[in-house]
Amino acid sequence: ALAEQQLVAVEQATLEKQADVVAKWDSIAMASFSDEEKVLVKALLKRLSGLESDLSAAGCVCAATAIRFLRARDMDLDQAEDMMRAMVAWRREYDTEFKCRGWIEEVETGTSLRARIAKRFCFTGIHGHDRNGVSMNAARFGVGDGAGIVREAGFEVLKLVYLSALEQLFESARAQSI
């Protein structure tokens, strides 16, 4: 029971921190949108209200993400909403935050064979920072062996490699943009 209470407290703290970051991130992002885009982004975020309290969506239900989904669907509000809800459902089902945090720790400590294999054959990840301090993700296909990672450690590991790199990149970009 104590461990469960601690987990709930950590999740609540994570949500509060994400909400603060998202609010700052949104004000910066919205400044670059056209008037039409601002109206559509606000409408989409209103439709998605409540999702931001879901840990699977924390940091994802924001203006910067909303505009990407709207643009991907030619500014169609209904299609963008469906797409964002599907993304949040996938993140919840896959348990993205938990798996990424665990994977990053596993790779950093080298506690498993699969982590050591991924680290040895990995070709994507954060490789330095730009002049603004934002992490740079590079995929060096010429030096990596994605098929080898899958063969030796499984497709799940390749997914974790990519997903964790992207999550770290987005987190870094949000932090540096505020």
Side-chain angles (χ1 to χ4, degrees):
L2 181 60
E4 189 174 316
Q5 288 175 339
Q6 289 172 332
L7 181 60
V8 168
V10 167
E11 287 180 355
Q12 185 59 38
T14 300
L15 286 171
E16 289 171 7
K17 181 180 176 188
Q18 285 286 21
D20 184 48
V21 169
V22 166
K24 291 174 184 173
W25 179 257
D26 276 358
S27 67
I28 294 165
M30 291 287 276
S32 67
F33 301 160
S34 71
D35 290 341
E36 176 190 3
E37 288 174 331
K38 287 176 185 174
V39 169
L40 288 170
V41 165
K42 287 177 183 177
L44 180 55
L45 292 176
K46 184 175 181 179
R47 288 183 179 195
L48 298 170
S49 68
L51 277 182
E52 66 277 355
S53 64
D54 182 332
L55 189 60
S56 300
C60 295
V61 180
C62 62
T65 302
I67 194 65
R68 286 196 304 274
F69 279 69
L70 281 161
R71 289 173 180 164
R73 293 294 174 245
D74 294 322
M75 306 310 277
D76 183 300
L77 194 55
D78 293 329
Q79 289 181 7
E81 178 185 3
D82 291 346
M83 190 177 175
M84 282 191 78
R85 286 186 184 281
M87 179 261 310
V88 170
W90 179 85
R91 290 178 66 86
R92 184 181 312 111
E93 179 183 314
Y94 188 70
D95 202 8
T96 305
E97 283 69 28
F98 178 77
K99 285 185 178 179
C100 285
R101 279 193 306 260
W103 175 248
I104 291 165
E105 182 180 324
E106 191 175 329
V107 170
E108 286 174 354
T109 60
T111 56
S112 70
L113 177 60
R114 71 184 199 153
R116 292 189 298 275
I117 289 169
K119 195 170 189 174
R120 180 172 179 209
F121 296 105
C122 188
F123 52 89
T124 187
I126 296 181
H127 298 282
H129 299 84
D130 70 11
R131 67 175 179 252
N132 296 315
V134 176
S135 299
M136 296 186 310
N137 187 4
R140 304 173 302 156
F141 295 106
V143 300
D145 186 3
I149 291 173
V150 172
R151 182 184 63 249
E152 299 297 324
F155 183 69
E156 178 70 12
V157 170
L158 189 62
K159 250 193 322 193
L160 286 168
V161 165
Y162 273 110
L163 188 57
S164 296
L166 289 172
E167 290 292 304
Q168 286 179 308
L169 187 64
F170 289 139
E171 185 177 316
S172 173
R174 282 199 246 354
Q176 291 302 318
S177 296
I178 300 173

